[in-house]
Amino acid sequence: AQSVAQPEDQVNVAEGNPLTVKCTYSVSGNPYLFWYVQYPNRGLQFLLKYITGDNLVKGSYGFEAEFNKSQTSFHLKKPSALVSDSALYFCAVRDPRVIFGKGTRLHILP
Amino acid sequence: SAVISQKPSRDICQRGTSLTIQCQVDSQVTMMFWYRQQPGQSLTLIATANQGSEATYESGFVIDKFPISRPNLTFSTLTVSNMSPEDSSIYLCSVDLSGRNEQFFGPGTRLTVL
């Protein structure tokens, strides 16, 4: 079965520093991978996806993710963190139902 | 994108009762899904709502507890039956836009069972 793992429950980053939220996947065949963000008391929002093509995928709010087939990873990145990026981030895989990782809470410290 | 609405947005219910949650989409979609999310936790897929046929349930979820209707391509309901406090959660409707490989989520229904 397809699955994703987010090894970190929480990530703390100082504002202005680069951030990385980790995700590894386990799929058979070509993976369809996604990142979603959930702000406090708000719905789930789509950030970006990898289906095929360039390994570096750009998404909303300045986020990007790098697909690495050899390491089976799909880490979310941003060059310069904002306090407003503080939220719960989910990595997900489609098989075709979308299955979510456990989530990583990102805290951006002012 | 798709605009998804859910009713009710929240409810407080008594143990043993049932609640039906409605999901309305502003466009016709092939695939609709129901998820459950404990606050601050991950999303767990309950079932895929199939138009014109029975829903497909994930392991650990059964039709008697979570009956689902999908009468057309823009609407679905999820009923939480014979509720217990363990059913307290946020229930989210989600749709998949054909050809987009993106899944959109409704705002959720926050259910509290006393």
Side-chain angles (χ1 to χ4, degrees):
Chain A
Q2 322 281 43
S3 65
V4 290
Q6 295 180 243
E8 304 155 317
D9 291 335
Q10 182 169 310
V11 171
N12 296 323
V13 177
E15 187 177 25
N17 282 2
L19 69 86
T20 298
V21 183
K22 296 180 180 177
C23 172
T24 58
Y25 65 88
S26 174
V27 303
S28 55
N30 296 321
Y32 286 13
L33 297 163
F34 305 84
W35 277 101
Y36 286 83
V37 59
Q38 189 173 41
Y39 297 101
N41 298 314
R42 292 174 62 180
L44 208 62
Q45 296 180 36
F46 170 84
L47 269 182
L48 52 80
K49 65 183 177 186
Y50 173 82
I51 304 299
T52 186
D54 290 340
N55 290 341
L56 186 63
V57 178
K58 295 190 182 297
S60 306
Y61 311 121
F63 283 93
E64 58 189 26
E66 185 171 11
F67 172 70
N68 188 317
K69 189 172 184 177
S70 62
Q71 297 184 4
T72 62
S73 66
F74 189 57
H75 301 333
L76 181 70
K77 300 181 179 183
K78 188 172 182 180
S80 178
L82 301 173
V83 172
S84 57
D85 293 329
S86 298
L88 188 55
Y89 290 81
F90 293 101
C91 183
V93 64
R94 177 188 169 127
D95 83 336
R97 307 109 70 237
V98 177
I99 306 300
F100 287 82
K102 67 176 183 177
T104 298
R105 189 165 296 281
L106 178 63
H107 286 286
I108 307 301
L109 310 171
Chain B
S1 64
V3 177
I4 306 168
S5 60
Q6 287 185 232
K7 291 181 181 179
S9 59
R10 58 177 61 223
D11 208 341
I12 300 173
C13 301
Q14 295 297 320
R15 180 195 298 262
T17 62
S18 297
L19 176 72
T20 295
I21 303 168
Q22 298 179 7
C23 176
Q24 180 74 53
V25 189
D26 68 343
S27 58
Q28 293 186 339
V29 294
T30 304
M31 302 185 79
M32 296 181 74
F33 307 90
W34 287 98
Y35 287 82
R36 184 168 71 180
Q37 184 186 25
Q38 299 287 339
Q41 304 297 317
S42 187
L43 285 77
T44 301
L45 181 62
I46 297 171
T48 302
N50 303 308
Q51 198 269 327
S53 63
E54 271 195 6
T56 304
Y57 289 84
E58 298 298 311
S59 176
F61 297 95
V62 296
I63 188 171
D64 290 345
K65 176 67 175 176
F66 297 101
I68 288 171
S69 77
R70 177 92 192 270
N72 56 53
L73 293 175
T74 64
F75 186 79
S76 178
T77 67
L78 169 75
T79 299
V80 186
S81 303
N82 188 24
M83 289 183 285
S84 67
E86 292 71 33
D87 294 320
S88 298
S89 192
I90 300 168
Y91 292 84
L92 296 115
C93 171
S94 176
V95 303
D96 190 308
L97 296 186
S98 298
R100 290 282 301 274
N101 286 311
E102 292 178 26
Q103 201 158 318
F104 296 90
F105 287 81
T109 296
R110 184 180 292 269
L111 171 63
T112 302
V113 184
L114 303 177

